[in-house]
Amino acid sequence: MIIRRFLDDDGELAQHLARQLNTPLDWPEVEGLNTGHVAKIASAAACDVSYNHAANGHLADLFAVLPLPGTPDGEKFWCAMEEAGGEAALYIDPGNMGGPFFDRLVKGNEAGIADRVLSFLAALDDQQRDAVIKVIGDALAQDTLVAGGRYLGQLWLRDAETTAWHVLLARRRLHETKDDRKRFFEAWGNA
């Protein structure tokens, strides 16, 4: 991750540790691991990992609100998706990306479903996208009185696209090094 949270003595995390856990940053005052070190580890882990896991979980949640494959409603829905999206719909068809892809998601293959979602959306032309929006929106509108189906379909597609992009971007960041961050700040500082 390019931007890292830093732990300073008067920062929010330091104040939380002192107030909620009653532990000063230099406790214990001997050599070795102290509260400040643990806080820095926790902060780095939260920035680098949890965002990616949260985005993946959200992507799975988006699919969870759609009719389930193998059910009568699911069969109708996924047939309608294939009709609306044409060959592009094969990227997210349950028979092509079903259980194994979601199983891998749980085991840490974060990019698999995100790649498929973005490939699906990229392969849709404008007419297909409109038709897919209608199919998704109609399925979502059955469970809500808040908004019309078309609008809900637009929200689902927009959310899936953005979330998939976040997953791929976070996955790319995992490979960045301290030198990459240094080059980034130098380049922007010299611009």
Side-chain angles (χ1 to χ4, degrees), residues 164-182:
W165 166 243
H166 288 175
V167 169
L168 293 181
L169 185 60
R171 183 85 174 143
R172 181 178 176 184
R173 290 177 183 157
L174 293 175
H175 304 292
E176 291 178 350
T177 66
K178 186 177 180 178
D179 290 337
D180 294 331
R181 286 186 297 282
K182 183 179 176 186

Side-chain angles (χ1 to χ4, degrees), residues 1-3 7 12 17 19 34 37 44 93 109 118 125 129 155 171 189:
M1 182 166 228
I2 290 176
I3 306 296
L7 185 70
E12 188 176 321
L17 290 169
R19 187 174 54 251
N34 63 33
H37 294 127
D93 181 81
N109 179 10
L118 292 176
D125 63 31
R129 190 175 181 102
L155 290 176
R171 183 85 174 143

Side-chain angles (χ1 to χ4, degrees), residues 24-159:
L25 291 179
D26 60 352
W27 178 85
E29 295 179 5
V30 295
E31 291 288 325
L33 195 62
N34 63 33
T35 303
H37 294 127
V38 172
K40 287 178 184 178
I41 293 167
S43 179
C47 287
D48 289 344
V49 177
S50 66
Y51 183 78
N52 196 18
H53 290 301
N56 270 297
H58 184 65
L59 199 52
D61 288 344
L62 286 169
F63 278 91
V65 299
L66 300 176
L68 294 174
T71 65
D73 287 341
E75 294 302 320
K76 289 179 202 170
F77 174 80
W78 290 104
C79 284
M81 282 291 285
E82 189 172 336
E83 189 176 313
E87 287 187 21
L90 294 175
Y91 283 109
I92 63 165
D93 181 81
N96 290 332
M97 80 165 220
F101 276 90
F102 283 101
D103 288 345
R104 285 185 221 135
L105 177 69
V106 172
K107 294 176 183 167
N109 179 10
E110 292 89 1
I113 292 176
D115 281 335
R116 285 188 162 268
V117 168
L118 292 176
S119 295
F120 162 64
L121 293 169
L124 294 174
D125 63 31
D126 290 341
Q127 289 177 335
Q128 289 172 321
R129 190 175 181 102
D130 285 342
V132 164
I133 285 171
K134 181 176 179 357
V135 170
I136 293 172
D138 288 349
L140 296 176
Q142 294 175 10
D143 293 334
T144 183
L145 300 172
V146 176
R150 180 163 179 70
Y151 180 65
L152 293 173
Q154 289 173 334
L155 290 176
W156 192 97
L157 275 189
R158 190 179 316 144
D159 196 359

